[in-house]
Each structure stands twice: as structure tokens, then as C-alpha cells.
């Protein structure tokens, strides 16, 4: 388990290749993480309100400033974090 902050990808990245070779699709449930193996499924839970999503890691992020994951726009929408931009989260690995 890992705790920190989550942010999300701008739509400006739509269509660009991710580290896995896939193109970034804002409406898919995906994420970027600095070290977890590509293809890993994780649960990302907002620690301030308990909302959670399950996403697949398909990209890498440099993540700084306490950020531990970058989410797709769809995942961010489901966590109700579009306005805030960055929220506190907990990450649990579900399947590698």
C-alpha cells in the first residue's frame, strides 16, 4: 500500500503513446506510476472521501511534489477530482 497525492492527465496527451506502447485514451481507466510494472491493476482510493476506482498502469510518470500516480481523465472524473486537480490517495495493488 502506498499513500500520497494523485493528479490526472490533460486532454492534450490524448493519442500520444504511453510507456506500454498504447495510445493514451482519456476515457479509459488507466494510470501512470513511476515503478509498478506495466499492466498492474491497482485500486486508487481518495483518503478524504473514500471514493475508489480500479485502473490499469500503462504508463510511467516522473511524479513529483508528493504525487504517486497520474490518472486518466475518466478515472479522475469518477474520483470527483477534476476541479481540485490533485487529491490525497491510497494505492493498493490488486493484480500484477
Amino acid at each position: 500500500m502506498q499513500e500520497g497525492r494523485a493528479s490526472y492527465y490533460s486532454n492534450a496527451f490524448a493519442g500520444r503513446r504511453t510507456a506500454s506502447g498504447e495510445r493514451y485514451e482519456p476515457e479509459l481507466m488507466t494510470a501512470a506510476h513511476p515503478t509498478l510494472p506495466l499492466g498492474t491493476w491497482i485500486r486508487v482510493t481518495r483518503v478524504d472521501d473514500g471514493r475508489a476506482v480500479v485502473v490499469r498502469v500503462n504508463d510511467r510518470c516522473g511524479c513529483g511534489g508528493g504525487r504517486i500516480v497520474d490518472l486518466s481523465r475518466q478515472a479522475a472524473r469518477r474520483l470527483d477530482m477534476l476541479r481540485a486537480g490533485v487529491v490525497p490517495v491510497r494505492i493498493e495493488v490488486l493484480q500484477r
Side-chain angles (χ1 to χ4, degrees), residues 8-74:
Y8 66 94
Y9 281 85
S10 157
N11 279 343
F13 291 101
R16 292 190 188 177
R17 295 263 181 215
T18 64
S20 68
E22 302 169 41
R23 294 195 184 273
Y24 169 58
E25 295 290 338
E27 297 307 311
L28 296 181
M29 298 294 287
T30 58
H33 189 276
T35 59
L36 287 173
L38 298 175
T40 299
W41 287 91
I42 58 175
R43 178 179 295 116
V44 180
T45 304
R46 277 186 69 156
V47 297
D48 58 351
D49 70 9
R51 293 174 198 245
V53 294
V54 174
V55 295
R56 182 175 49 85
V57 175
N58 74 338
D59 204 6
R60 294 284 175 233
C61 65
C63 297
R67 290 182 300 117
I68 58 172
V69 67
D70 283 337
L71 300 170
S72 67
R73 188 168 183 84
Q74 177 71 311

